[in-house]
């Protein structure tokens, strides 16, 4: 099943490196990028901009953050030089792929009045063919979650559907993890477990630098056929497997790993836990966590008119359950304080999302921890609720 299909992304077992029969030298990575460009795609991937690794347009391998990594903790982010020339030796930055699929700000319609006649014009976007390079397993899961929300729900978003439809992805298995990562707790990584057009694992072994690469779709196989590949060996597959296992070990032994098997029931039982009061004392209701989150999908609409009153526009933009206006109805806001807003965000993400969309809304990427100005940690809040529940 293609990652660009409308159905849920297919489960695969990419942790098993036996299927990676092809090896691409790191020096030939640009051939991959050029092959995708030649198929008419706009390629987006990691770039080093303003001292952060963010996603932007990629025209060649020179645009990638080769030799750079990121250092992350609660409320802390820094980029620094690696001791090698890895292309994908970072974790995840402040932006997610949703900014290309669910646009942060877009026009919906415009209208004009001439005498007594009003004309309303729906704005249709000329959607480009999008290709994402360097997608991590947790991010593929995030895209699958947004598919369920914005395509398969009772109220689909046509703009998201059109941008998502022809998406081409090049996924990369994680071989390193940040202290903020907890995808192992959410069963979303570090090995790629959803179908992608292409999936790669980067390996650096002394003077050797290469990628093990496989295709997951027919289009991916067509791209592979254009590349200077050679067969991979058992030893090379083992090296790639060790890298993935190293990332998994870092997380399972790290401070953020926890048991997520009963999260829904735990949060439902503790809707009035005193922990909500404690976290509200620190939370700024700034909405950073929802803006950085790859699955948060809340939006609102803005209507504007010019000074003459003859022309008007409606725009859709991202919004957040942390803003007071988001739940405002006649008589006031439904969630008027920070306690109720944080509780809404966390219980929706980890519990009621299951009832709405048949999965968790969290993929364990850790962005909400890193980009919280006061370092509020979702995994720590889960542990606090669990500990307060004990007699």
């Amino acid at each position: 099943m293609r990652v660009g299909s409308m159905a849920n992304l297919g489960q695969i077992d990419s942790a098993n490196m036996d299927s990676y029969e092809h090896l691409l030298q790191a020096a030939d990575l640009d051939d991959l990028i050029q092959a995708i460009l030649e198929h008419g795609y706009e390629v987006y991937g990691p770039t080093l901009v303003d001292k952060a690794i963010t996603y932007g347009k990629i025209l060649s391998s020179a645009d990638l953050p080769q030799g750079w990594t990121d250092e992350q903790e609660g409320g802390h982010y820094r980029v620094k030089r690696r001791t090698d020339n890895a292309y994908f030796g970072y974790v995840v930055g402040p932006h997610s792929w949703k900014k290309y699929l669910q646009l942060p700000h877009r026009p919906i319609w415009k209208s004009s009045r001439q005498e007594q006649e009003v004309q309303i014009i729906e704005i249709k976007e000329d959607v480009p063919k999008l290709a994402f390079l360097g997608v991590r397993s947790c991010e593929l899961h995030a895209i699958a979650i947004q598919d369920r929300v914005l395509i398969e729900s009772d109220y689909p978003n046509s703009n998201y559907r059109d941008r998502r439809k022809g998406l081409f992805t090049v996924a990369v298995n994680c071989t390193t993890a940040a202290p903020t990562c907890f995808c192992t707790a959410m069963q979303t990584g570090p090995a790629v477990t959803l179908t992608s057009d292409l999936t790669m694992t980067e390996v650096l072994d002394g003077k050797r630098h290469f990628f093990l690469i496989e295709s997951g779709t027919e289009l991916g196989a067509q791209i592979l056929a254009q590349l200077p590949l050679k067969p991979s060996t058992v030893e090379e597959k083992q090296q790639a497997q060790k890298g993935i296992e190293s990332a998994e070990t870092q997380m399972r032994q790290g401070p953020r790993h926890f048991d997520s098997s009963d999260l829904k029931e735990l949060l439902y039982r503790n809707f009035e836990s005193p922990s909500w009061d404690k976290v509200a004392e620190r939370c700024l209701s700034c909405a950073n966590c929802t803006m950085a989150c790859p699955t948060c999908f809340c939006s609102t609409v803005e209507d504007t008119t010019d000074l003459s009153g003859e022309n008007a526009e409606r725009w859709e933009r991202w919004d957040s359950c942390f803003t007071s206006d988001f739940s405002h109805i006649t008589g006031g806001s439904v969630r008027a304080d920070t306690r109720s807003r944080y509780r809404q965000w966390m219980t929706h993400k980890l519990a009621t999302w299951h009832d709405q969309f048949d999965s968790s809304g969290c993929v364990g990427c850790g962005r909400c921890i890193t980009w919280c100005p006061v370092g509020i940690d979702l995994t720590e809040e889960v542990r606090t609720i669990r500990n307060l529940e004990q007699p």
Side-chain angles (χ1 to χ4, degrees):
M1 182 181 296
R2 272 211 62 196
V3 75
S5 70
M6 292 301 161
N8 289 346
L9 305 184
Q11 286 282 150
I12 58 174
D13 181 16
S14 288
N16 184 351
M17 297 303 297
D18 290 342
S19 61
Y20 287 73
E21 301 294 338
H22 307 288
L23 184 147
L24 178 72
Q25 297 293 346
D28 297 321
L29 180 60
D30 197 56
D31 291 351
L32 170 61
I33 296 172
Q34 299 310 313
I36 299 172
L37 289 169
E38 288 170 6
H39 276 73
Y41 287 93
E42 290 184 6
V43 179
Y44 292 89
T47 61
L48 184 63
V49 178
D50 296 332
K51 298 182 180 180
I53 297 175
T54 64
Y55 297 135
K57 185 167 284 191
I58 302 295
L59 298 178
S60 73
S61 59
D63 295 325
L64 300 173
Q66 186 176 18
W68 288 90
T69 189
D70 44 19
E71 178 184 276
Q72 302 191 39
E73 252 301 343
H76 174 86
Y77 178 93
R78 294 289 186 277
V79 291
K80 63 180 182 181
R81 279 287 186 180
R82 291 176 58 94
T83 57
D84 55 37
N85 290 316
Y87 282 101
F88 301 98
Y90 60 92
V91 186
V92 291
H95 298 159
S96 67
W97 299 106
K98 77 176 181 181
K99 71 175 184 175
Y100 297 112
L101 298 174
Q102 183 195 8
L103 297 180
H105 197 213
R106 71 176 183 92
I108 300 174
W109 53 253
K110 61 182 179 179
S111 67
S112 61
R113 182 174 63 186
Q114 296 179 354
E115 297 179 353
Q116 298 303 314
E117 183 179 345
V118 177
Q119 183 181 30
I120 299 177
I121 302 173
E122 182 183 4
I123 298 177
K124 284 289 189 179
E125 180 189 18
D126 186 12
V127 179
K129 292 173 62 178
L130 298 174
F132 294 165
L133 172 65
V135 185
R136 305 308 175 116
S137 181
C138 64
E139 296 179 310
L140 279 179
H141 280 269
I143 294 172
I145 288 171
Q146 284 219 310
D147 286 351
R148 289 192 284 276
V149 175
L150 297 174
I151 296 177
E152 299 163 19
S153 68
D154 294 334
Y155 305 98
N157 184 309
S158 59
N159 185 262
Y160 177 93
R161 180 194 60 214
D162 293 343
R163 297 181 70 83
R164 174 71 174 83
K165 186 176 182 180
L167 179 64
F168 184 92
T169 58
V170 181
V172 175
N173 286 305
C174 290
T175 56
T176 187
T180 50
C181 293
F182 58 99
C183 68
T184 50
M186 306 311 297
Q187 292 84 51
T188 60
V192 173
T193 54
L194 294 180
T195 303
S196 178
D197 294 285
L198 293 172
T199 304
M200 306 193 302
T201 309
E202 186 171 19
V203 178
L204 291 98
D205 176 20
K207 295 182 178 181
R208 299 189 67 204
H209 186 185
F210 59 88
F211 295 92
L212 293 191
I213 186 169
E214 68 163 357
S215 63
T217 65
E218 291 182 10
L219 183 54
Q222 293 176 25
I223 297 291
L224 278 190
Q226 298 178 238
L227 305 181
L229 304 173
K230 74 172 189 177
S232 59
T233 66
V234 173
E235 181 182 357
E236 289 161 345
K237 294 176 184 178
Q238 290 174 345
Q239 288 175 299
Q241 184 67 41
K242 287 180 181 178
I244 298 172
E245 291 172 353
S246 174
E248 183 171 357
T249 299
Q250 289 176 51
M251 282 182 279
R252 291 194 180 280
Q253 296 179 354
R256 266 86 189 190
H257 186 75
F258 65 98
D259 179 12
S260 63
S261 61
D262 65 338
L263 273 183
K264 175 182 170 181
E265 294 75 16
L266 175 71
L267 293 178
Y268 279 173
R269 289 196 307 269
N270 288 277
F271 196 69
E272 297 300 338
S273 171
S275 66
W276 305 120
D277 297 293
K278 293 181 180 180
V279 72
E281 294 174 0
R282 301 165 57 203
C283 178
L284 305 176
S285 283
C286 67
N288 264 22
C289 52
T290 59
M291 296 296 105
C293 177
T295 66
C296 279
F297 60 89
C298 291
S299 64
T300 189
V301 293
E302 296 175 328
D303 293 336
T304 61
T305 60
D306 63 9
L307 293 177
S308 70
E310 301 297 323
N311 300 285
E313 292 181 342
R314 171 166 288 183
W315 288 70
E316 178 188 25
R317 65 167 175 82
W318 287 358
D319 204 347
S320 171
C321 55
F322 279 95
T323 64
S324 59
D325 288 346
F326 188 75
S327 66
H328 191 278
I329 57 176
T330 302
S333 177
V334 174
R335 291 182 286 274
D337 57 21
T338 301
R339 176 185 184 273
S340 60
R341 293 175 201 158
Y342 189 90
R343 181 178 64 182
Q344 157 65 20
W345 174 73
M346 185 168 165
T347 55
H348 186 210
K349 186 71 61 178
L350 300 177
T352 58
W353 207 297
H354 286 277
D355 296 328
Q356 283 185 283
F357 308 114
D358 297 322
S359 75
S360 171
C362 177
V363 295
C365 69
R367 286 183 174 97
C368 60
I369 302 171
T370 298
W371 297 100
C372 175
V374 295
I376 294 175
D377 185 338
L378 180 147
T379 66
E380 181 181 341
E381 297 308 316
V382 169
R383 282 191 292 272
T384 298
I385 291 172
R386 195 180 296 279
N387 291 336
L388 287 173
E389 187 183 53
Q390 301 303 318

